[in-house]
Amino acid sequence: MAAPEIGLFIDGKWTTPPGAARFTTRNPTNGEVVGSFVAGTAQDANAAVTAAYKAFPQWKATPPPARGEILLRVAQELKERKESIGRIVTQEMGKVIAEGRGDVQEAIDFVEYMAGEGRRLFGETVPSELRSKFCLTVRQPKGVVVCITPWNFPTAIPNWKIAAALICGNTVVFKPASTTAMCAVEVVRAYEAAGLPPGVLNLVTGSGGAVGNPLIDDPRVRAVSFTGGVDTGRSVNVRGAQDMKAVHLELGGKNPMIVMDDANLPLALEGLLFGAFGTAGQRCTATSRLILHEKVYDEFLGMLDQRVAGLRLGDPLDPATDVGPVASADQEKKILDYIAIGRGEAKLRTGGNKLTGGAYDKGYFIAPTVFETAHGTRISKEEIFGPVLSVIKVPNYQEAVRVANDVDYGLSSSIYTRDVNLAFRAMDDLECGITYVNAPTIGAEVQLPFGGTKKTGTGGREAGSVAVEEFTEIKTVFVDFSNRLQKAQIDTTAS
Ligand code: UN1
């Protein structure tokens, strides 16, 4: 079957610019083509911003609860298509089907949550220092917003950004990762089917250089929300700064799980397997470091060996599969390069190879890999974004926390302990945006803020009710009903 040829979505219409170049996405399990997409240009980026700019005044004037009704319809559309979109997620980037569905569910949850924000969008009322004067804040949209999204949560993350931007009254140009362009198309179709007015959401597929940069540089764009790698994030930030744009960055992680000597080890083991090898380790929140107390070191690693050996790698559409392929040839190369580095600086305990033979030859399958390492090696500090776990032995809680914090990132973290005092101390001590107690580093829920410290990002948090901070300007309003000139800081004792 020929791959469907998809256009750009600009001003409410799917269009293919004359003479457009195309790129395809491929299933990382077997190499089959999933779809063919327009390799957008600066001209396409310009057309999309023009449409979003034109649509902005009307959308801003639409009452937020009415915007919320459209979002509820988007959520409904996504619910109806959950199974088919979940399968596309799995076919396009390789996460196992339960997680493909989970990706879409996370999108649904957030869009629904943001619909309710249409009846909140709270401001503040604050007392005045003067009599007969009223002070308040209101939230206003920023204008045209650009959302640039990654392939690892190809429906959830776009919706975290798009739904939050839209409920606040912004219009959006969406530039998805090229690896998962079909997932992006499915997201946009849900908004289209829900009756979003033309121009309010526009999709331009294509590379960061050809489409992303012109979008960020366009003076009509007021904010950029980016999730992806640190190097690209830095360049997005620098470009955005030229024009004082609000830039929100959600970047890498090197997330630790601390397992103390009093932990429930079978529980910690289940959490570790899910955190380290779920989504083939390709989550920003993946558990990439196990910081293990020396008293339970041998016992716990023995338990881990056994379970890792039992993980089933294969077709991610098969519900019996535990770990699917990694998302692309680029991903495979980067992960195998890190494994080679690890072999030189640490002790390989399990895995460490690409799977070959039979059906594996058609895809990008990497064996779940465990290294024992000292803290400070490259594999213990750099983000690998694959099924590779570094295990670090520590003598006590203080050292566990020191190791946990001594990396450039600060997204997620976890501690397994039965000591309630230690759990609360860890909540305070771990330098990052998210801490789990007796649960793995993955699995954030949309009604709570998501994001991190240090090189993980800047510009506030996504998700939760604070998601609206990223997409609104606060306007402070003073209403003086005294009928005379009152001077703040000067007339403060006036009666
Ligand atoms: C990401 O990998 O960027 O907490 C997002 C989790 C998911 C979201 C991950 N709910 O693992």
Side-chain angles (χ1 to χ4, degrees):
M1 201 181 81
E5 297 218 333
I6 316 272
L8 308 173
F9 188 68
I10 296 177
D11 208 9
K13 287 184 283 295
W14 293 95
T15 52
T16 299
R22 289 195 159 269
F23 69 94
T24 54
T25 60
R26 283 176 185 275
N27 187 329
T29 301
N30 55 26
E32 281 169 13
V33 173
V34 176
S36 160
F37 307 89
V38 172
T41 61
Q43 234 181 334
D44 301 325
N46 184 65
V49 176
T50 300
Y53 192 73
K54 196 180 76 193
F56 176 63
Q58 271 290 121
W59 186 244
K60 180 188 173 195
T62 304
R67 296 178 206 143
E69 274 175 38
I70 297 180
L71 288 190
L72 279 183
R73 289 205 290 276
V74 172
Q76 192 53 39
E77 292 290 337
L78 290 171
K79 274 183 201 167
E80 281 161 21
R81 300 161 193 212
K82 178 175 165 183
E83 184 59 28
S84 66
I85 302 178
R87 290 177 79 84
I88 293 170
V89 170
T90 293
Q91 283 161 348
E92 203 163 36
M93 62 68 68
K95 66 174 73 175
V96 295
I97 185 64
E99 293 181 356
R101 294 184 190 114
D103 198 310
V104 184
Q105 187 59 48
E106 194 161 352
I108 294 166
D109 293 345
F110 187 69
V111 174
E112 255 175 19
Y113 182 74
M114 274 295 116
E117 202 54 46
R119 291 192 182 269
R120 290 186 293 268
L121 284 176
F122 293 141
E124 292 180 300
T125 59
V126 180
S128 170
E129 63 189 43
L130 297 162
R131 287 165 196 264
S132 301
K133 194 174 172 192
F134 196 90
C135 313
L136 67 147
T137 65
V138 291
R139 289 184 183 278
Q140 299 199 299
K142 287 180 182 278
V144 178
V145 166
V146 167
C147 300
I148 306 178
T149 60
W151 48 260
N152 71 327
F153 274 83
T155 70
I157 292 179
N159 280 288
W160 287 5
K161 297 184 190 300
I162 293 168
L166 294 184
I167 198 69
C168 296
N170 304 282
T171 54
V172 173
V173 180
F174 171 28
K175 204 304 273 175
S178 296
T179 309
T180 47
M182 188 57 103
C183 293
V185 166
E186 292 295 331
V187 167
V188 170
R189 283 177 175 158
Y191 283 81
E192 182 189 17
L196 196 70
V200 173
L201 172 63
N202 307 275
L203 170 74
V204 188
T205 47
S207 71
V211 175
N213 289 347
L215 286 175
I216 300 165
D217 293 343
D218 192 305
R220 295 167 295 178
V221 168
R222 292 316 315 149
V224 180
S225 185
F226 172 84
T227 298
V230 173
D231 292 338
T232 315
R234 184 179 296 109
S235 98
V236 168
N237 208 8
V238 168
R239 287 192 100 91
Q242 305 305 317
D243 202 17
M244 303 306 165
K245 292 184 166 106
V247 176
H248 176 271
L249 302 174
E250 199 57 69
L251 311 174
K254 191 71 185 173
N255 312 294
M257 175 189 287
I258 298 173
V259 176
M260 294 301 297
D261 53 346
D262 68 341
N264 176 339
L265 295 185
L267 181 70
L269 181 63
E270 293 306 321
L272 180 64
L273 290 166
F274 184 45
F277 303 123
T279 327
Q282 301 168 115
R283 295 194 191 206
C284 308
T285 50
T287 309
S288 47
R289 294 184 294 155
L290 168 63
I291 301 176
L292 188 52
H293 196 287
E294 62 185 15
K295 279 200 196 139
V296 291
Y297 190 87
D298 291 333
E299 182 187 355
F300 192 68
L301 285 195
M303 292 161 68
L304 178 64
D305 289 344
Q306 237 187 358
R307 290 294 299 279
V308 173
L311 290 174
R312 285 158 301 193
L313 268 79
D315 179 359
L317 281 177
D318 179 347
T321 296
D322 296 309
V323 184
V326 298
S328 63
D330 285 353
Q331 264 298 99
E332 182 184 77
K333 179 174 181 329
K334 186 179 155 218
I335 298 163
L336 292 175
D337 285 352
Y338 265 112
I339 290 175
I341 292 168
R343 283 176 185 273
E345 62 181 7
K347 184 174 151 213
L348 179 66
R349 186 156 178 130
T350 345
N353 58 294
K354 173 177 164 60
L355 298 190
T356 52
Y360 288 133
D361 284 337
K362 292 190 181 154
Y364 308 118
F365 290 91
I366 297 181
T369 297
V370 178
F371 281 104
E372 290 174 86
T373 177
H375 171 61
T377 54
R378 285 187 63 189
I379 57 161
S380 74
K381 296 195 86 170
E382 296 176 19
E383 184 179 54
I384 300 174
F385 221 65
V388 182
L389 175 71
S390 292
V391 185
I392 302 157
K393 192 194 279 189
V394 290
N396 53 39
Y397 171 79
Q398 286 74 14
E399 182 61 5
V401 166
R402 189 193 71 79
V403 167
N405 289 342
D406 184 32
V407 289
D408 286 343
Y409 300 105
L411 181 53
S412 186
S413 62
S414 134
I415 183 164
Y416 279 78
T417 178
R418 287 168 158 133
D419 179 341
V420 68
N421 294 352
L422 215 53
F424 273 82
R425 268 174 72 189
M427 240 159 34
D428 194 37
D429 290 344
L430 291 166
E431 292 168 359
C432 55
I434 307 169
T435 293
Y436 290 89
V437 176
N438 293 328
T441 59
I442 68 173
E445 300 178 29
V446 300
Q447 66 279 21
L448 288 130
F450 181 94
T453 61
K454 300 191 263 184
K455 285 192 187 153
T456 291
T458 183
R461 295 284 184 265
E462 297 198 285
S465 55
V466 297
V468 301
E469 304 291 343
E470 180 188 345
F471 295 109
T472 50
E473 297 286 358
I474 300 278
K475 178 176 282 178
T476 303
V477 183
F478 298 99
V479 182
D480 190 322
F481 52 97
S482 69
N483 243 345
R484 61 198 169 92
L485 173 64
Q486 300 195 86
K487 297 176 184 157
Q489 294 89 42
I490 294 171
D491 296 346
T492 47
T493 55
S495 57

